[in-house]
Structures are given as structure tokens and as C-alpha cells.
Amino acid sequence: KNTFTVARGRRAWVGHHVGDLENYETLRSFEEGIAHFETLFEVAPRAVAHDLHPDYLSTRYARDRAEAQGLARSAVQHHHAHMVACLGEHGVEGPALGVIYDGTGYGPDGTVWGGELLAGDAASCERIGHLWPARLPGGEAAVRRPWHMACSWLCELEEGDPVLPAWLDGRVDPVEWGAVVRLARSGLVSPLTTSAGRLFDAVSALCGLRLEVSYEGQAAIELEGVGLVEA
């Protein structure tokens, strides 16, 4: 979902959609697009801003370029950026209260945010509330397999180890279910998350709608679709 923007004065030019920067080809497209826009609009950056996540390829690009060219560099928390984008869209300077329900974003505390209550403005914000944190068993695997989040939320709600729900019997391997329970209980490869998106995934899986996804947001979309039909 990556894109880039170059800005000068009160003008900003948003680049084309590049997609996930997961390989060399998309990274090259990202870099070439920035260079093209800087030439086209005669922009010579003095500062660069990037996502707070330290391992994104866009973050590495920003860090390397800032170091090579002596540019100021600013890391921006993902959900604070969402809040500020909304303020900017409506011409509001703040301070304001922002409710950001999202998939995932790196939090300054090292956990995975996504269901946040933030107070602040474009310069800074304070996290004053969030959804109840649950484990993300298997990390990225839990994004692709919503039943991992269903298991995780049952672990949060029950004192003992949750058994495989009867309506998921035959659709989830009991041995795999037990392994995910152990991951969630131990915290191994299972960071905490307050993600609203992962909560929707858990509900969709617990309803038996979508246990694995082939595209982002599929579990939540299908859950919404069932709700609309029933309404």
C-alpha cells in the first residue's frame, strides 16, 4: 500500500501507488518514482519523514538518504499519521481527540497498535486509550489465518486453555489449535496487539465465516457482508 509524497511550501505531490515494499523490484519503483517527482516538480528535500517501524524498506531508504545528504529525519507513528491526515483534510489544527481503528501499526512501546484513542495535534499526541490487547500468535501468520486471532481472544477470555470450538471441528487441525494456544500463552513469536482489524478477524473466524484469507481485510469484509444481508 506504499506511496510517496514530495512537498515544497504549501504544495504537495502524491506519487503513484507502489504497493508493499517487500522485494527489490517494488523498492526500485519507489526510489525511481521519488527521483522522477523531484526532477519534475523541482523539489530539493531538506527533510524526510517516514513510518516509525524500524524495519520497513521505506524507513531504511529514508534513513540512508538522510545520512548521505545531511537531511533532517522524522519518524511518525502510524496512527498519529492517520489522525493528522484527518485533521488536515478538514483544515483543523487541533488539539483534537482521534479514534483510529485500523489493521496494524508499530507503536512506540514496541507493540502492534491498531485500535487507538489519541489526543493531540500534528506536532504530537498522547495515547489515552486503546482496545484490550491480545496476542498475535505467529506474528504475520495470524494476519493470514484469522482463526489464530480467534484462538488468541479465547485465551484472553478464558482462564484455562480454550478448546477448539465445535463448529470449527474438521476445519482447524486440533494439533495446530493447541500449538497456537501455547504460542498465545507463552508470548513466543506473539506480540501484543490492540488492532481493531485483528479483532474483526477473530469474530469472523469464531462465526465460522473466514478462517484463512487471500487478501487484506477479507475476513472483516465477509463479516460485514453477512451483517448487511441479515439487516
Side-chain angles (χ1 to χ4, degrees):
K1 300 178 295 299
N2 198 280
T3 187
F4 60 85
T5 299
V6 298
R8 184 182 67 236
R10 296 183 60 83
R11 291 183 176 273
W13 296 272
V14 181
H16 61 283
H17 174 249
V18 177
D20 289 336
L21 298 184
E22 294 182 337
N23 54 50
Y24 178 75
E25 289 77 15
T26 51
L27 178 61
R28 286 294 299 164
S29 176
F30 175 78
E31 294 173 341
E32 290 169 359
I34 293 174
H36 175 65
F37 267 46
E38 289 176 353
T39 300
L40 184 65
F41 299 110
E42 298 182 337
V43 174
R46 295 196 302 267
V48 59
H50 59 86
D51 192 276
L52 184 64
H53 198 298
D55 294 328
Y56 282 170
L57 290 181
S58 54
T59 299
R60 297 181 186 181
Y61 167 85
R63 182 182 62 239
D64 292 346
R65 182 162 181 187
E67 291 177 354
Q69 300 180 5
L71 306 178
R73 182 166 66 92
S74 177
V76 182
Q77 201 281 321
H78 187 94
H79 301 100
H80 183 208
H82 277 308
M83 175 181 170
V84 175
C86 187
L87 293 177
E89 178 184 357
H90 296 280
V92 177
E93 293 186 3
L97 187 64
V99 181
I100 301 92
Y101 283 175
D102 188 27
T104 56
Y106 187 83
D109 59 355
T111 64
V112 182
W113 289 14
E116 311 305 317
L117 189 61
L118 305 178
D121 53 24
S124 64
C125 71
E126 177 185 2
R127 188 192 199 196
I128 61 175
H130 54 77
L131 293 181
W132 186 273
R135 292 289 176 180
L136 194 66
E140 284 296 315
V143 179
R144 298 187 296 271
R145 309 177 86 184
W147 70 263
H148 282 212
M149 289 309 303
C151 181
S152 177
W153 271 103
L154 290 178
C155 285
E156 289 296 324
L157 296 171
E158 300 179 15
E159 291 186 5
D161 290 344
V163 298
L164 178 66
W167 56 93
L168 298 184
D169 189 25
R171 301 181 65 190
V172 174
D173 185 337
V175 175
E176 287 192 52
W177 178 270
V180 172
V181 169
R182 290 190 293 274
L183 282 178
R185 289 298 190 206
S186 69
L188 181 66
V189 198
S190 303
L192 285 170
T193 181
T194 55
S195 169
R198 302 292 76 77
L199 177 57
F200 278 118
D201 286 351
V203 174
S204 182
L206 287 173
C207 290
L209 294 175
R210 175 56 57 181
L211 304 186
E212 297 189 15
V213 300
S214 57
Y215 59 87
E216 185 174 0
Q218 184 177 6
I221 290 169
E222 294 183 4
L223 178 64
E224 180 185 33
V226 170
L228 290 173
V229 169
E230 293 182 350

